[in-house]
């Protein structure tokens, strides 16, 4: 497992506005400078698991995407995939993800409920995409993610927050700061 040195950039968000003392989200994406020009929070469908034909667990899935340009398909993006309990509001929610290896007991404890038939919760994956030489290069990361994601209060189709994300050294991605994301609903 890679070693990490990271600082949590936390802010108490009492309103939908990003804190003025937290700079706009920026950093390094796959070794290249990256500054988010736009952010979208997509409300996806429900993740569920069935055991013997019976639904044992469900979680609401989300995708938080940071883009270098405010267009439908930007060249350079960071996508943070996460899930929370069905009915859990995002207002003032904080998600912490420790860098643990997939398949370990530490990973299971961080993302799954005890017992059989559980859906993963928390930050479950990051897709880091850069355009190089006319084609896209995407790193799909499902473990060893060091991250804190903190949301403020949703208002008028927008939600503010603070992110502190660091992927393992081979992915060369560190992204920190405040953001304001447009909320879009997809799925069921």
């Amino acid at each position: 497992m890679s070693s990490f040195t990271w600082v949590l950039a936390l802010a108490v968000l009492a309103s939908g506005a990003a804190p003025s003392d937290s700079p706009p989200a920026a950093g390094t994406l796959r070794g290249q400078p990256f500054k988010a020009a736009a952010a979208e929070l997509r409300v996806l469908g429900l993740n569920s698991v069935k055991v013997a034909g019976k639904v044992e667990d469900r979680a609401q899935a989300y995708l938080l995407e940071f883009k270098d340009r405010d267009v439908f398909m930007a060249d350079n993006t960071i996508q943070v995939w996460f899930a929370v309990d069905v009915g859990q509001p995002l207002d003032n929610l904080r998600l912490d993800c420790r860098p643990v290896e997939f398949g370990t007991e530490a990973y299971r404890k961080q993302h799954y409920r005890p017992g059989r038939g559980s859906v993963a919760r928390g930050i479950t994956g990051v897709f880091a995409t850069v355009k190089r030489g006319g084609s896209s290069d995407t790193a799909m990361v499902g473990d060893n993610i060091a991250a804190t994601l903190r949301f403020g209060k949703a208002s008028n189709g927008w939600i503010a927050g603070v992110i502190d994300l660091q992927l393992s050294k081979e992915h060369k991605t560190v992204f920190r700061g405040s953001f304001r994301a447009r909320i879009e609903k997809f799925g069921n």
Side-chain angles (χ1 to χ4, degrees):
M1 175 164 52
S2 301
S3 62
F4 288 87
T5 304
W6 57 294
V7 178
L8 298 179
L10 301 178
V12 177
L13 300 173
S15 69
S20 60
D21 60 340
S22 185
T28 305
L29 171 60
R30 310 285 311 279
Q32 299 178 11
F34 178 74
K35 184 175 179 182
E40 294 175 356
L41 176 66
R42 296 188 187 115
V43 183
L44 305 174
L46 297 178
N47 294 340
S48 62
V49 64
K50 289 182 180 182
V51 176
K54 179 184 171 201
V55 174
E56 292 289 325
D57 191 25
R58 290 184 177 199
Q60 177 64 58
Y62 293 91
L63 167 59
L64 178 60
E65 183 174 31
F66 298 94
K67 305 174 180 187
D68 65 343
R69 296 181 302 135
D70 193 6
V71 295
F72 178 68
M73 294 187 64
D75 292 335
N76 303 298
T77 64
I78 295 174
Q79 294 181 340
V80 180
W81 295 77
F82 67 96
V84 298
D85 289 334
V86 175
Q88 165 75 50
L90 293 183
D91 289 355
N92 301 312
L93 178 69
R94 175 181 165 161
L95 298 171
D96 292 305
C97 187
R98 297 179 318 278
V100 294
E101 295 267 339
F102 181 79
T104 63
E105 183 66 12
Y107 186 91
R108 187 192 64 73
K109 285 182 177 179
Q110 179 168 269
H111 293 288
Y112 295 92
R113 291 182 172 167
R116 68 182 211 164
S118 177
V119 175
R121 286 171 173 74
I123 298 170
T124 56
V126 174
F127 287 19
T129 302
V130 294
K131 189 166 188 177
R132 293 186 177 149
S135 63
S136 293
D137 180 14
T138 300
M140 296 176 281
V141 183
D143 65 353
N144 290 320
I145 299 167
T148 295
L149 183 57
R150 177 84 187 241
F151 290 102
K153 185 175 167 97
S155 176
N156 297 320
W158 292 86
I159 193 163
V162 175
I163 187 169
D164 188 331
L165 171 71
Q166 182 168 337
L167 303 181
S168 55
K169 288 182 183 179
E170 66 266 22
H171 298 298
K172 301 176 184 171
T173 299
V174 177
F175 185 65
R176 297 183 172 106
S178 62
F179 63 88
R180 186 169 180 251
R182 181 176 43 245
I183 302 169
E184 297 183 7
K185 295 189 181 194
F186 289 88
N188 50 359

